[in-house]
Coordinates of all heavy atoms in Angstrom, one line a residue:
M1 N 0.8 0.4 3.2 CA 0.9 0.0 1.8 C 2.3 -0.4 1.4 O 3.3 0.3 2.0 CB 0.5 1.1 0.9 CG -1.0 1.5 1.0 SD -2.1 0.2 0.5 CE -3.6 1.0 0.8
P2 N 2.5 -1.3 0.5 CA 3.9 -1.7 0.2 C 4.6 -0.6 -0.6 O 4.0 0.1 -1.4 CB 3.7 -3.0 -0.6 CG 2.3 -2.9 -1.2 CD 1.5 -2.1 -0.2
I3 N 5.9 -0.5 -0.4 CA 6.8 0.4 -1.1 C 7.8 -0.3 -1.9 O 8.5 -1.2 -1.3 CB 7.4 1.4 -0.1 CG1 6.4 2.4 0.5 CG2 8.5 2.2 -0.7 CD1 6.8 3.2 1.7
C4 N 8.0 0.0 -3.2 CA 8.9 -0.7 -4.0 C 10.3 -0.4 -3.5 O 10.7 0.7 -3.2 CB 8.8 -0.1 -5.4 SG 10.1 -0.7 -6.5
Q5 N 11.1 -1.5 -3.3 CA 12.4 -1.5 -2.8 C 13.4 -1.0 -3.8 O 14.6 -0.6 -3.5 CB 12.9 -2.8 -2.2 CG 12.1 -3.3 -1.0 CD 12.1 -2.3 0.1 OE1 13.2 -2.0 0.6 NE2 10.9 -1.8 0.5
N6 N 13.0 -0.9 -5.0 CA 13.9 -0.4 -6.1 C 13.8 1.1 -6.3 O 14.8 1.8 -6.4 CB 13.6 -1.2 -7.4 CG 14.6 -0.9 -8.4 OD1 15.8 -1.0 -8.2 ND2 14.2 -0.6 -9.6
C7 N 12.5 1.6 -6.4 CA 12.4 3.0 -6.8 C 11.6 3.8 -5.7 O 11.5 5.0 -5.8 CB 11.6 3.1 -8.1 SG 9.9 2.6 -8.1
G8 N 11.2 3.2 -4.7 CA 10.5 3.9 -3.6 C 9.0 4.2 -3.9 O 8.4 5.0 -3.1
Y9 N 8.5 3.7 -4.9 CA 7.1 4.0 -5.3 C 6.2 3.3 -4.3 O 6.3 2.1 -4.0 CB 6.9 3.5 -6.8 CG 5.4 3.5 -7.2 CD1 4.9 4.7 -7.7 CD2 4.7 2.4 -7.3 CE1 3.5 4.7 -8.1 CE2 3.4 2.4 -7.7 CZ 2.8 3.6 -8.1 OH 1.5 3.6 -8.5
Q10 N 5.2 4.0 -3.9 CA 4.2 3.4 -3.0 C 3.1 2.8 -3.8 O 2.4 3.5 -4.6 CB 3.6 4.4 -2.0 CG 2.8 3.7 -1.0 CD 2.3 4.7 0.1 OE1 2.1 5.8 -0.1 NE2 2.1 4.1 1.3
W11 N 2.9 1.5 -3.7 CA 1.9 0.8 -4.5 C 0.5 1.2 -4.0 O 0.3 1.5 -2.9 CB 2.1 -0.7 -4.3 CG 3.3 -1.2 -5.0 CD1 4.5 -0.6 -5.1 CD2 3.5 -2.5 -5.7 NE1 5.4 -1.4 -5.8 CE2 4.8 -2.6 -6.1 CE3 2.6 -3.6 -5.9 CZ2 5.2 -3.7 -6.8 CZ3 3.1 -4.7 -6.6 CH2 4.4 -4.7 -7.0
R12 N -0.4 1.2 -5.0 CA -1.7 1.5 -4.7 C -2.4 0.2 -4.1 O -1.9 -0.9 -4.4 CB -2.5 1.9 -5.9 CG -2.5 3.5 -6.1 CD -3.3 3.9 -7.2 NE -2.5 3.8 -8.4 CZ -2.8 4.4 -9.6 NH1 -3.9 5.1 -9.6 NH2 -2.1 4.3 -10.6
W13 N -3.5 0.4 -3.4 CA -4.2 -0.7 -2.8 C -4.6 -1.8 -3.9 O -4.3 -2.9 -3.7 CB -5.5 -0.2 -2.1 CG -6.3 -1.3 -1.5 CD1 -6.1 -1.8 -0.3 CD2 -7.4 -1.9 -2.1 NE1 -7.0 -2.8 -0.1 CE2 -7.8 -2.9 -1.1 CE3 -8.1 -1.8 -3.3 CZ2 -8.9 -3.7 -1.4 CZ3 -9.2 -2.6 -3.5 CH2 -9.6 -3.5 -2.6
S14 N -5.1 -1.3 -5.0 CA -5.5 -2.2 -6.1 C -4.3 -3.0 -6.7 O -4.4 -4.1 -7.1 CB -6.2 -1.5 -7.2 OG -5.5 -0.4 -7.6
E15 N -3.1 -2.3 -6.7 CA -1.9 -2.9 -7.3 C -1.4 -4.0 -6.3 O -0.9 -5.0 -6.7 CB -0.8 -1.8 -7.5 CG -1.2 -1.0 -8.7 CD -0.4 0.4 -8.7 OE1 0.2 0.7 -7.7 OE2 -0.6 1.1 -9.7
S16 N -1.4 -3.7 -5.0 CA -0.9 -4.6 -4.1 C -1.8 -5.8 -3.9 O -1.4 -6.9 -3.4 CB -0.6 -4.0 -2.7 OG -1.3 -2.8 -2.6
L17 N -3.1 -5.7 -4.3 CA -4.0 -6.8 -4.1 C -3.6 -8.0 -4.9 O -3.8 -9.1 -4.5 CB -5.4 -6.3 -4.6 CG -6.6 -7.0 -4.0 CD1 -6.6 -6.8 -2.5 CD2 -7.9 -6.4 -4.6
K18 N -2.9 -7.8 -6.0 CA -2.3 -8.9 -6.9 C -1.4 -9.7 -6.0 O -1.3 -10.9 -6.3 CB -1.6 -8.3 -8.1 CG -2.4 -7.8 -9.2 CD -1.6 -7.3 -10.3 CE -0.9 -6.0 -10.1 NZ -0.2 -5.5 -11.2
L19 N -0.7 -9.1 -5.1 CA 0.3 -9.8 -4.3 C -0.3 -10.8 -3.3 O 0.3 -11.6 -2.8 CB 1.2 -8.8 -3.6 CG 2.3 -8.1 -4.5 CD1 2.7 -6.9 -3.8 CD2 3.4 -9.0 -4.7
T20 N -1.6 -10.5 -3.1 CA -2.3 -11.4 -2.1 C -2.4 -12.8 -2.7 O -2.4 -13.8 -2.0 CB -3.7 -10.8 -1.8 OG1 -3.5 -9.4 -1.6 CG2 -4.3 -11.4 -0.6
F21 N -2.6 -12.8 -4.0 CA -2.8 -14.1 -4.7 C -1.5 -14.7 -5.2 O -1.4 -15.9 -5.5 CB -3.9 -14.0 -5.8 CG -5.1 -13.5 -5.2 CD1 -5.5 -12.1 -5.4 CD2 -6.0 -14.3 -4.5 CE1 -6.7 -11.6 -4.9 CE2 -7.2 -13.8 -4.0 CZ -7.5 -12.5 -4.2
N22 N -0.5 -13.8 -5.5 CA 0.7 -14.3 -6.1 C 1.8 -13.5 -5.3 O 1.7 -12.3 -5.2 CB 0.7 -13.9 -7.5 CG 1.8 -14.5 -8.3 OD1 2.7 -15.1 -7.7 ND2 1.9 -14.2 -9.6
Y23 N 2.8 -14.2 -4.8 CA 3.7 -13.5 -3.9 C 4.7 -12.6 -4.6 O 5.5 -11.9 -4.0 CB 4.4 -14.4 -2.9 CG 5.5 -15.3 -3.6 CD1 6.8 -14.9 -3.4 CD2 5.2 -16.5 -4.2 CE1 7.8 -15.7 -4.0 CE2 6.2 -17.2 -4.8 CZ 7.5 -16.8 -4.7 OH 8.5 -17.6 -5.3
K24 N 4.7 -12.6 -6.0 CA 5.6 -11.7 -6.7 C 4.8 -11.0 -7.8 O 3.8 -11.5 -8.3 CB 6.7 -12.5 -7.3 CG 6.3 -13.6 -8.2 CD 7.5 -14.4 -8.8 CE 6.9 -15.5 -9.6 NZ 7.9 -16.5 -9.9
S25 N 5.3 -9.8 -8.1 CA 4.6 -8.9 -9.0 C 5.6 -7.9 -9.5 O 6.6 -7.6 -8.8 CB 3.4 -8.3 -8.4 OG 2.6 -7.6 -9.4
T26 N 5.4 -7.3 -10.7 CA 6.3 -6.2 -11.1 C 5.8 -4.9 -10.7 O 4.6 -4.6 -10.6 CB 6.4 -6.2 -12.7 OG1 5.1 -6.4 -13.2 CG2 7.3 -7.3 -13.2
C27 N 6.7 -4.0 -10.3 CA 6.4 -2.7 -9.9 C 5.7 -1.9 -11.0 O 6.3 -1.9 -12.1 CB 7.7 -2.0 -9.4 SG 7.4 -0.2 -9.0
P28 N 4.6 -1.2 -10.7 CA 3.9 -0.5 -11.8 C 4.7 0.7 -12.2 O 4.5 1.3 -13.3 CB 2.6 0.0 -11.1 CG 2.6 -0.6 -9.8 CD 3.9 -1.2 -9.5
N29 N 5.7 1.2 -11.4 CA 6.5 2.4 -11.7 C 7.8 2.0 -12.5 O 8.1 2.7 -13.5 CB 6.7 3.1 -10.4 CG 7.3 4.5 -10.7 OD1 6.8 5.2 -11.5 ND2 8.4 4.8 -10.0
C30 N 8.6 1.1 -12.0 CA 9.9 0.8 -12.6 C 9.9 -0.5 -13.3 O 11.0 -0.9 -13.8 CB 11.0 1.0 -11.5 SG 10.9 -0.3 -10.2
N31 N 8.8 -1.3 -13.2 CA 8.8 -2.6 -13.9 C 9.8 -3.6 -13.3 O 10.1 -4.6 -14.0 CB 8.9 -2.5 -15.4 CG 7.6 -2.0 -16.0 OD1 6.5 -2.5 -15.6 ND2 7.7 -1.2 -17.0
K32 N 10.3 -3.4 -12.1 CA 11.2 -4.4 -11.6 C 10.4 -5.4 -10.7 O 9.4 -5.0 -10.1 CB 12.3 -3.7 -10.7 CG 13.3 -4.7 -10.2 CD 14.5 -4.0 -9.7 CE 15.4 -4.8 -8.8 NZ 15.9 -6.1 -9.2
K33 N 10.8 -6.6 -10.8 CA 10.1 -7.7 -10.0 C 10.2 -7.4 -8.5 O 11.3 -7.2 -8.0 CB 10.5 -9.0 -10.4 CG 9.3 -10.0 -10.5 CD 9.6 -11.3 -11.2 CE 8.3 -11.7 -11.9 NZ 8.4 -12.1 -13.2
Q34 N 9.1 -7.5 -7.8 CA 9.1 -7.3 -6.4 C 8.5 -8.6 -5.8 O 7.6 -9.1 -6.3 CB 8.3 -6.1 -6.0 CG 9.0 -4.8 -6.4 CD 10.2 -4.5 -5.6 OE1 10.2 -4.3 -4.4 NE2 11.4 -4.5 -6.3
Y35 N 9.1 -9.0 -4.7 CA 8.6 -10.2 -4.0 C 8.1 -9.8 -2.6 O 8.6 -8.8 -2.0 CB 9.7 -11.2 -3.8 CG 10.3 -11.6 -5.2 CD1 11.4 -10.9 -5.7 CD2 9.8 -12.7 -5.9 CE1 12.0 -11.2 -6.9 CE2 10.4 -13.0 -7.1 CZ 11.4 -12.3 -7.6 OH 12.0 -12.7 -8.8
L36 N 7.2 -10.6 -2.1 CA 6.8 -10.4 -0.7 C 7.9 -10.9 0.2 O 8.6 -11.9 -0.1 CB 5.6 -11.3 -0.4 CG 4.2 -10.8 -0.8 CD1 3.2 -11.8 -0.3 CD2 3.9 -9.4 -0.2
T37 N 8.1 -10.2 1.3 CA 9.2 -10.6 2.2 C 8.6 -11.9 2.9 O 7.4 -12.1 3.0 CB 9.4 -9.5 3.3 OG1 8.2 -9.2 4.0 CG2 10.0 -8.3 2.7
P38 N 9.5 -12.8 3.4 CA 9.1 -14.0 4.1 C 8.2 -13.7 5.3 O 7.2 -14.4 5.5 CB 10.4 -14.6 4.6 CG 11.5 -14.0 3.7 CD 11.0 -12.7 3.3
K39 N 8.4 -12.5 5.9 CA 7.6 -12.1 7.1 C 6.2 -11.8 6.6 O 5.2 -12.3 7.2 CB 8.2 -10.8 7.7 CG 7.9 -10.6 9.1 CD 8.6 -9.4 9.7 CE 7.8 -8.7 10.7 NZ 8.3 -7.4 11.0
A40 N 6.1 -11.1 5.5 CA 4.7 -10.8 5.0 C 4.0 -12.0 4.5 O 2.8 -12.1 4.6 CB 4.9 -9.7 3.9
R41 N 4.8 -12.9 3.9 CA 4.2 -14.2 3.4 C 3.7 -15.0 4.6 O 2.6 -15.6 4.5 CB 5.2 -15.0 2.6 CG 5.0 -14.8 1.1 CD 5.9 -15.7 0.4 NE 7.3 -15.2 0.3 CZ 8.3 -16.0 -0.1 NH1 8.2 -17.2 -0.4 NH2 9.5 -15.4 -0.1
K42 N 4.5 -15.1 5.7 CA 4.0 -15.8 6.8 C 2.8 -15.2 7.4 O 1.8 -15.9 7.8 CB 5.1 -15.9 7.9 CG 6.0 -17.1 7.7 CD 7.1 -17.1 8.7 CE 8.5 -17.0 8.1 NZ 9.6 -16.8 9.0
R43 N 2.8 -13.8 7.5 CA 1.6 -13.1 8.0 C 0.4 -13.4 7.2 O -0.7 -13.6 7.7 CB 1.9 -11.6 8.0 CG 1.6 -11.0 9.4 CD 1.9 -9.5 9.4 NE 3.3 -9.2 9.5 CZ 3.8 -8.0 9.4 NH1 3.1 -7.0 9.2 NH2 5.1 -7.8 9.6
S44 N 0.5 -13.4 5.9 CA -0.7 -13.6 5.0 C -1.2 -15.1 5.2 O -2.4 -15.3 5.1 CB -0.4 -13.3 3.6 OG 0.5 -14.2 3.0
S45 N -0.2 -16.0 5.4 CA -0.7 -17.4 5.6 C -1.4 -17.5 7.0 O -2.4 -18.3 7.1 CB 0.4 -18.4 5.4 OG 1.4 -18.2 6.3
L46 N -0.9 -16.7 7.9 CA -1.6 -16.7 9.2 C -3.0 -16.1 9.2 O -3.9 -16.7 9.7 CB -0.8 -15.9 10.2 CG 0.3 -16.6 11.1 CD1 1.0 -15.6 12.0 CD2 -0.4 -17.7 11.9
S47 N -3.1 -15.0 8.4 CA -4.4 -14.4 8.3 C -5.4 -15.3 7.5 O -6.6 -15.2 7.8 CB -4.3 -13.0 7.6 OG -3.7 -13.1 6.4
S48 N -4.9 -16.1 6.6 CA -5.8 -17.0 6.0 C -6.4 -18.0 6.9 O -7.5 -18.6 6.6 CB -5.1 -17.7 4.8 OG -4.1 -18.5 5.2
M49 N -5.7 -18.2 8.0 CA -6.3 -19.1 9.1 C -7.5 -18.5 9.8 O -8.2 -19.3 10.4 CB -5.2 -19.5 10.1 CG -4.0 -20.2 9.4 SD -3.6 -21.7 10.2 CE -2.1 -21.2 11.0
L50 N -7.6 -17.2 9.6 CA -8.8 -16.5 10.2 C -10.1 -17.1 9.7 O -11.1 -17.1 10.4 CB -8.8 -15.0 10.0 CG -7.7 -14.2 10.7 CD1 -7.8 -12.8 10.2 CD2 -7.9 -14.3 12.2
V51 N -10.0 -17.7 8.5 CA -11.2 -18.3 7.9 C -11.7 -19.5 8.7 O -12.8 -19.9 8.7 CB -10.8 -18.8 6.4 CG1 -12.0 -19.3 5.7 CG2 -10.3 -17.6 5.7
L52 N -10.8 -20.0 9.6 CA -11.2 -21.1 10.4 C -12.0 -20.7 11.6 O -12.6 -21.5 12.3 CB -9.9 -21.8 11.0 CG -9.1 -22.5 9.9 CD1 -7.8 -23.1 10.6 CD2 -9.9 -23.6 9.3
I53 N -12.1 -19.3 11.9 CA -12.9 -18.8 13.0 C -14.3 -19.3 12.9 O -14.9 -19.8 13.9 CB -12.7 -17.3 13.1 CG1 -11.3 -16.9 13.5 CG2 -13.7 -16.7 14.1 CD1 -11.1 -15.4 13.6
P54 N -15.0 -19.1 11.7 CA -16.4 -19.5 11.7 C -16.5 -21.0 12.0 O -17.5 -21.4 12.6 CB -16.8 -19.3 10.2 CG -15.8 -18.3 9.7 CD -14.5 -18.5 10.5
L55 N -15.5 -21.8 11.5 CA -15.5 -23.2 11.8 C -15.5 -23.5 13.3 O -16.3 -24.3 13.8 CB -14.3 -23.9 11.1 CG -14.4 -25.4 11.0 CD1 -15.5 -25.8 10.0 CD2 -13.1 -25.9 10.5
A56 N -14.6 -22.8 14.0 CA -14.5 -22.9 15.4 C -15.8 -22.5 16.1 O -16.2 -23.1 17.1 CB -13.3 -22.1 15.9
C57 N -16.4 -21.4 15.6 CA -17.6 -20.9 16.2 C -18.7 -21.9 16.0 O -19.6 -22.1 16.9 CB -18.0 -19.6 15.6 SG -17.0 -18.2 16.0
S58 N -18.7 -22.5 14.9 CA -19.8 -23.5 14.6 C -19.9 -24.6 15.5 O -20.9 -25.3 15.7 CB -19.8 -23.9 13.1 OG -18.7 -24.8 13.0
T59 N -18.7 -25.0 16.1 CA -18.7 -26.1 17.1 C -19.3 -25.6 18.4 O -19.8 -26.4 19.2 CB -17.3 -26.6 17.3 OG1 -16.5 -25.5 17.7 CG2 -16.7 -27.2 16.0
V60 N -19.2 -24.3 18.7 CA -19.8 -23.8 19.9 C -21.2 -23.4 19.8 O -22.1 -23.9 20.5 CB -18.9 -22.5 20.4 CG1 -19.5 -22.1 21.8 CG2 -17.5 -22.9 20.5
I61 N -21.5 -22.6 18.8 CA -22.9 -22.2 18.5 C -23.4 -23.1 17.4 O -22.7 -23.4 16.5 CB -23.1 -20.7 18.1 CG1 -21.9 -19.9 18.6 CG2 -24.4 -20.1 18.5 CD1 -21.7 -18.6 17.8
N62 N -24.7 -23.3 17.4 CA -25.2 -24.1 16.3 C -25.6 -23.2 15.2 O -26.7 -22.6 15.2 CB -26.5 -24.9 16.9 CG -26.8 -26.0 16.0 OD1 -26.1 -26.4 15.1 ND2 -27.9 -26.7 16.3
M63 N -24.7 -23.1 14.2 CA -25.0 -22.2 13.1 C -25.6 -22.9 11.9 O -25.3 -24.1 11.7 CB -23.7 -21.6 12.6 CG -23.2 -20.4 13.3 SD -22.0 -19.5 12.4 CE -20.5 -20.3 13.0
S64 N -26.5 -22.2 11.3 CA -27.1 -22.8 10.1 C -26.1 -22.8 8.9 O -25.3 -21.9 8.9 CB -28.4 -22.2 9.7 OG -28.2 -20.8 9.4
L65 N -26.2 -23.6 8.0 CA -25.2 -23.7 6.9 C -25.1 -22.4 6.1 O -24.0 -21.9 5.8 CB -25.5 -24.9 6.0 CG -24.3 -25.5 5.2 CD1 -23.2 -26.0 6.2 CD2 -24.8 -26.6 4.4
P66 N -26.3 -21.8 5.7 CA -26.1 -20.6 4.9 C -25.4 -19.5 5.7 O -24.6 -18.8 5.2 CB -27.6 -20.2 4.6 CG -28.4 -21.4 4.8 CD -27.7 -22.2 5.8
F67 N -25.7 -19.4 7.0 CA -25.1 -18.4 7.8 C -23.6 -18.6 7.9 O -22.8 -17.7 7.9 CB -25.8 -18.4 9.2 CG -25.2 -17.4 10.2 CD1 -25.5 -16.0 10.0 CD2 -24.3 -17.7 11.2 CE1 -25.0 -15.1 10.9 CE2 -23.7 -16.8 12.0 CZ -24.1 -15.5 11.9
Y68 N -23.3 -19.9 8.1 CA -21.9 -20.3 8.1 C -21.1 -19.8 6.9 O -20.0 -19.3 7.0 CB -21.8 -21.8 8.3 CG -20.4 -22.4 8.2 CD1 -19.5 -22.2 9.3 CD2 -19.9 -23.0 7.1 CE1 -18.2 -22.7 9.2 CE2 -18.6 -23.5 7.0 CZ -17.8 -23.3 8.1 OH -16.5 -23.8 8.0
F69 N -21.7 -20.0 5.7 CA -21.0 -19.6 4.5 C -20.9 -18.1 4.4 O -19.8 -17.6 4.0 CB -21.8 -20.2 3.3 CG -21.5 -21.6 3.0 CD1 -22.5 -22.6 3.0 CD2 -20.2 -22.0 2.7 CE1 -22.2 -23.9 2.7 CE2 -19.9 -23.3 2.4 CZ -20.9 -24.3 2.4
V70 N -21.9 -17.4 4.7 CA -21.9 -15.9 4.7 C -20.8 -15.4 5.6 O -20.0 -14.6 5.3 CB -23.2 -15.3 5.0 CG1 -23.2 -13.8 5.2 CG2 -24.2 -15.7 3.9
F71 N -20.8 -16.0 6.8 CA -19.8 -15.6 7.9 C -18.4 -15.9 7.4 O -17.5 -15.0 7.5 CB -20.1 -16.5 9.1 CG -19.4 -16.0 10.4 CD1 -18.9 -14.7 10.5 CD2 -19.2 -16.8 11.4 CE1 -18.3 -14.2 11.6 CE2 -18.5 -16.4 12.6 CZ -18.1 -15.1 12.7
S72 N -18.1 -17.0 6.8 CA -16.8 -17.4 6.2 C -16.4 -16.4 5.1 O -15.3 -15.9 5.0 CB -16.7 -18.8 5.7 OG -17.4 -19.7 6.5
L73 N -17.4 -16.1 4.3 CA -17.1 -15.2 3.1 C -16.8 -13.8 3.6 O -15.8 -13.2 3.1 CB -18.4 -15.2 2.3 CG -18.2 -14.8 0.8 CD1 -17.4 -15.9 0.1 CD2 -19.5 -14.6 0.1
V74 N -17.5 -13.4 4.6 CA -17.2 -12.0 5.2 C -15.8 -12.0 5.7 O -15.0 -11.1 5.4 CB -18.2 -11.6 6.3 CG1 -17.8 -10.4 7.0 CG2 -19.6 -11.4 5.6
I75 N -15.4 -13.0 6.5 CA -14.1 -13.0 7.1 C -13.0 -13.1 6.0 O -12.0 -12.4 6.0 CB -13.9 -14.2 8.1 CG1 -14.9 -13.9 9.3 CG2 -12.5 -14.3 8.6 CD1 -14.5 -14.4 10.6
F76 N -13.3 -13.9 5.0 CA -12.3 -14.1 3.9 C -12.1 -12.8 3.2 O -11.0 -12.4 2.9 CB -12.9 -15.2 3.0 CG -11.9 -15.5 1.8 CD1 -10.7 -16.1 2.0 CD2 -12.3 -15.2 0.5 CE1 -9.9 -16.4 1.0 CE2 -11.5 -15.4 -0.5 CZ -10.3 -16.1 -0.3
S77 N -13.2 -12.1 2.9 CA -13.1 -10.8 2.1 C -12.4 -9.7 3.0 O -11.6 -9.0 2.4 CB -14.5 -10.2 1.8 OG -15.4 -11.2 1.6
I78 N -12.6 -9.7 4.3 CA -11.9 -8.7 5.1 C -10.4 -9.0 5.1 O -9.6 -8.1 4.9 CB -12.5 -8.8 6.6 CG1 -13.9 -8.2 6.6 CG2 -11.6 -7.9 7.5 CD1 -14.6 -8.3 7.9
T79 N -10.1 -10.3 5.2 CA -8.7 -10.7 5.1 C -8.0 -10.2 3.8 O -6.9 -9.6 3.8 CB -8.5 -12.2 5.3 OG1 -9.4 -12.6 6.3 CG2 -7.1 -12.6 5.5
I80 N -8.7 -10.4 2.7 CA -8.1 -10.1 1.4 C -8.1 -8.5 1.3 O -7.0 -8.0 0.8 CB -9.0 -10.6 0.3 CG1 -9.0 -12.2 0.3 CG2 -8.6 -10.1 -1.1 CD1 -7.8 -12.9 -0.1
L81 N -9.1 -7.9 1.7 CA -9.2 -6.4 1.6 C -8.1 -5.7 2.4 O -7.6 -4.6 2.0 CB -10.6 -5.9 1.9 CG -11.7 -6.3 1.0 CD1 -13.0 -5.8 1.4 CD2 -11.4 -5.9 -0.5
L82 N -7.8 -6.3 3.6 CA -6.9 -5.6 4.5 C -5.4 -6.0 4.2 O -4.5 -5.3 4.6 CB -7.2 -5.9 5.9 CG -8.5 -5.3 6.5 CD1 -8.7 -5.7 7.9 CD2 -8.5 -3.8 6.3
S83 N -5.2 -7.1 3.4 CA -3.9 -7.6 3.3 C -2.9 -6.6 2.6 O -1.7 -6.6 3.0 CB -3.9 -8.9 2.5 OG -4.5 -8.7 1.2
P84 N -3.3 -5.7 1.7 CA -2.3 -4.7 1.2 C -1.7 -3.8 2.2 O -0.6 -3.3 2.0 CB -3.1 -3.9 0.2 CG -4.2 -4.8 -0.3 CD -4.6 -5.6 1.0
F85 N -2.3 -3.7 3.4 CA -1.8 -2.8 4.4 C -0.6 -3.4 5.2 O 0.1 -2.7 5.8 CB -3.0 -2.4 5.4 CG -4.0 -1.6 4.8 CD1 -5.2 -2.1 4.3 CD2 -3.8 -0.2 4.6 CE1 -6.1 -1.4 3.7 CE2 -4.8 0.6 4.0 CZ -5.9 0.0 3.5
Y86 N -0.5 -4.7 5.2 CA 0.6 -5.2 5.9 C 1.7 -5.9 5.0 O 2.5 -6.6 5.5 CB 0.2 -6.2 7.1 CG -0.7 -7.3 6.7 CD1 -0.2 -8.4 6.0 CD2 -2.1 -7.2 7.0 CE1 -1.0 -9.5 5.7 CE2 -2.9 -8.3 6.6 CZ -2.4 -9.4 6.0 OH -3.2 -10.4 5.6
I87 N 1.6 -5.7 3.7 CA 2.5 -6.2 2.7 C 3.8 -5.5 2.7 O 3.8 -4.2 2.8 CB 1.9 -6.2 1.3 CG1 0.9 -7.4 1.2 CG2 2.9 -6.2 0.2 CD1 0.2 -7.5 -0.1
Q88 N 4.9 -6.2 2.7 CA 6.3 -5.6 2.6 C 6.9 -6.2 1.4 O 6.8 -7.4 1.1 CB 7.1 -5.8 3.8 CG 6.7 -4.9 5.0 CD 7.3 -5.3 6.3 OE1 7.2 -6.5 6.6 NE2 7.9 -4.4 7.0
L89 N 7.7 -5.4 0.6 CA 8.3 -5.9 -0.6 C 9.8 -6.0 -0.4 O 10.5 -5.4 0.4 CB 8.0 -4.9 -1.7 CG 6.6 -4.8 -2.1 CD1 6.4 -3.7 -3.1 CD2 6.0 -6.1 -2.7
S90 N 10.4 -6.9 -1.3 CA 11.8 -7.1 -1.3 C 12.2 -7.3 -2.8 O 11.4 -7.7 -3.6 CB 12.1 -8.4 -0.5 OG 13.3 -8.9 -0.9
N91 N 13.5 -6.9 -3.0 CA 14.0 -7.0 -4.4 C 14.3 -8.4 -4.8 O 14.4 -8.8 -5.9 CB 15.3 -6.2 -4.5 CG 15.0 -4.7 -4.7 OD1 13.9 -4.4 -5.3 ND2 15.9 -3.9 -4.2
E92 N 14.6 -9.3 -3.8 CA 14.9 -10.7 -4.0 C 13.9 -11.6 -3.5 O 13.2 -11.3 -2.5 CB 16.3 -11.0 -3.4 CG 17.5 -10.4 -4.2 CD 18.5 -10.0 -3.2 OE1 18.9 -10.7 -2.3 OE2 19.0 -8.8 -3.4
D93 N 13.9 -12.8 -4.1 CA 13.0 -13.8 -3.6 C 13.7 -14.5 -2.5 O 14.5 -15.4 -2.7 CB 12.8 -14.8 -4.8 CG 11.7 -15.8 -4.5 OD1 11.0 -15.6 -3.4 OD2 11.4 -16.6 -5.3
E94 N 13.4 -14.1 -1.3 CA 14.0 -14.7 -0.1 C 13.4 -16.0 0.3 O 12.2 -16.1 0.2 CB 13.9 -13.7 1.1 CG 14.7 -12.4 0.8 CD 14.3 -11.3 1.8 OE1 14.3 -11.5 3.0 OE2 14.0 -10.2 1.3
P95 N 14.2 -16.9 0.8 CA 13.6 -18.2 1.3 C 12.7 -17.9 2.5 O 12.9 -17.0 3.3 CB 14.8 -19.0 1.7 CG 15.9 -18.1 1.9 CD 15.6 -16.9 1.0
L96 N 11.6 -18.7 2.6 CA 10.7 -18.6 3.7 C 11.2 -18.8 5.0 O 10.8 -18.2 6.0 CB 9.4 -19.5 3.4 CG 8.1 -19.2 4.1 CD1 7.7 -17.7 3.9 CD2 7.0 -20.1 3.6
W97 N 12.2 -19.8 5.1 CA 12.7 -20.1 6.5 C 14.2 -19.8 6.5 O 14.9 -20.0 5.6 CB 12.4 -21.6 6.8 CG 11.0 -21.9 6.7 CD1 10.4 -22.6 5.8 CD2 9.9 -21.5 7.6 NE1 9.0 -22.7 6.0 CE2 8.7 -22.0 7.1 CE3 9.9 -20.7 8.8 CZ2 7.5 -21.8 7.8 CZ3 8.7 -20.5 9.4 CH2 7.5 -21.0 8.9
Ligands
ZN1 ZN1 9.6 0.4 -8.5

């Protein structure tokens, strides 16, 4: 789970979930703005590529369309649900590269 770089507060899973959709958020404890580290941002963009797995599978196995959607949705949800576990915070908005 992410830890606030300003006050050391460990963010809750539900609090860090916001960071999955927006790379910056205010700390619930000290109200200081926290940003995702470039590393964590790169990792989250990599994990969003996991959604392509069903697409790759569909070229190998002949999947029906409803199954394909369910499969993509499951992978997408797992990616979102697990993302707070690898999030790291920074006090500054660091450039990605
Ligand atoms: Zn804090």
Side-chain angles (χ1 to χ4, degrees):
M1 293 297 180
I3 290 168
C4 171
Q5 294 303 301
N6 189 49
C7 68
Y9 171 80
Q10 187 174 30
W11 289 36
R12 267 184 279 198
W13 178 84
S14 53
E15 288 157 354
S16 16
L17 209 58
K18 284 184 283 184
L19 286 160
T20 317
F21 303 102
N22 189 357
Y23 75 97
K24 56 182 177 194
S25 187
T26 41
C27 170
N29 191 47
C30 65
N31 281 322
K32 185 162 161 57
K33 220 167 211 132
Q34 292 288 296
Y35 303 87
L36 276 186
T37 58
K39 206 175 147 195
R41 260 187 280 167
K42 269 180 240 170
R43 230 181 281 174
S44 66
S45 57
L46 268 180
S47 58
S48 62
M49 297 234 255
L50 289 176
V51 184
L52 294 177
I53 293 177
L55 195 68
C57 290
S58 69
T59 58
V60 183
I61 336 160
N62 201 4
M63 274 197 271
S64 62
L65 205 59
F67 181 75
Y68 173 76
F69 278 120
V70 172
F71 192 23
S72 317
L73 204 69
V74 167
I75 295 208
F76 183 69
S77 327
I78 292 173
T79 314
I80 298 290
L81 295 178
L82 291 181
S83 59
F85 292 98
Y86 55 77
I87 278 175
Q88 282 167 312
L89 296 172
S90 161
N91 280 329
E92 281 144 50
D93 191 4
E94 295 164 49
L96 197 52
W97 305 106

